[in-house]
Amino acid sequence: MDVAWPERREDVLNALRVLSAAPPALDDAGGDTRWPDLTNAVHWLADDTSWDLVDPVTSIGTILRDSQESDVIREVVAAVVAVSDRQGSLSSDAAWFGDSGWSEVRRLATKALTCLAR
């Protein structure tokens, strides 16, 4: 199934690429210097889609293709929200990358990226 909003889907894929990658070298303030950076990746995945508030299943046909994709997205968003709850939105990227749950975010983002890229 094609999706109605392919450009939004591409934003999600780019966010998953950032979240699944090894943490980059950071600037002197502890910030991610890539584009998209960690902050934008989190916004594109959770805030811009509202998946931090609504079930991703509601995006089948617009951003996601099927329930398999919504299931893996639900997992990675929950892991990102858990890190956000512990670190807060104003913490440095270094704090996020150093969070005890960051390896789970990476694992789930990789799983989601593989699913969505099929």
Side-chain angles (χ1 to χ4, degrees):
M1 164 199 281
D2 288 315
V3 296
W5 302 338
E7 43 303 311
R8 293 285 301 277
R9 182 180 177 86
E10 191 58 36
D11 285 347
V12 168
L13 288 167
N14 285 330
L16 292 171
R17 288 180 189 107
V18 168
L19 298 175
S20 65
L26 302 175
D27 63 20
D28 292 340
D32 185 348
T33 60
R34 300 172 292 182
W35 180 255
D37 60 6
L38 176 61
T39 299
N40 281 291
V42 170
H43 284 299
W44 294 355
L45 180 69
D47 302 330
D48 291 354
T49 61
S50 298
W51 291 334
D52 56 330
L53 303 173
V54 299
D55 195 305
V57 75
T58 61
S59 295
I60 293 174
T62 55
I63 300 172
L64 304 174
R65 291 186 181 124
D66 54 37
S67 61
Q68 184 179 6
E69 290 186 353
S70 67
D71 290 346
V72 296
I73 289 294
R74 187 179 307 108
E75 292 177 331
V76 71
V77 169
V80 167
V81 168
V83 171
S84 179
D85 287 347
R86 285 190 298 275
Q87 296 301 324
S89 62
L90 300 178
S91 290
S92 69
D93 294 344
W96 276 58
F97 290 133
D99 186 87
S100 61
W102 191 253
S103 62
E104 184 68 356
V105 169
R106 286 188 61 207
R107 184 186 75 76
L108 292 169
T110 300
K111 177 180 171 184
L113 185 58
T114 300
C115 181
L116 271 68
R118 60 179 162 81

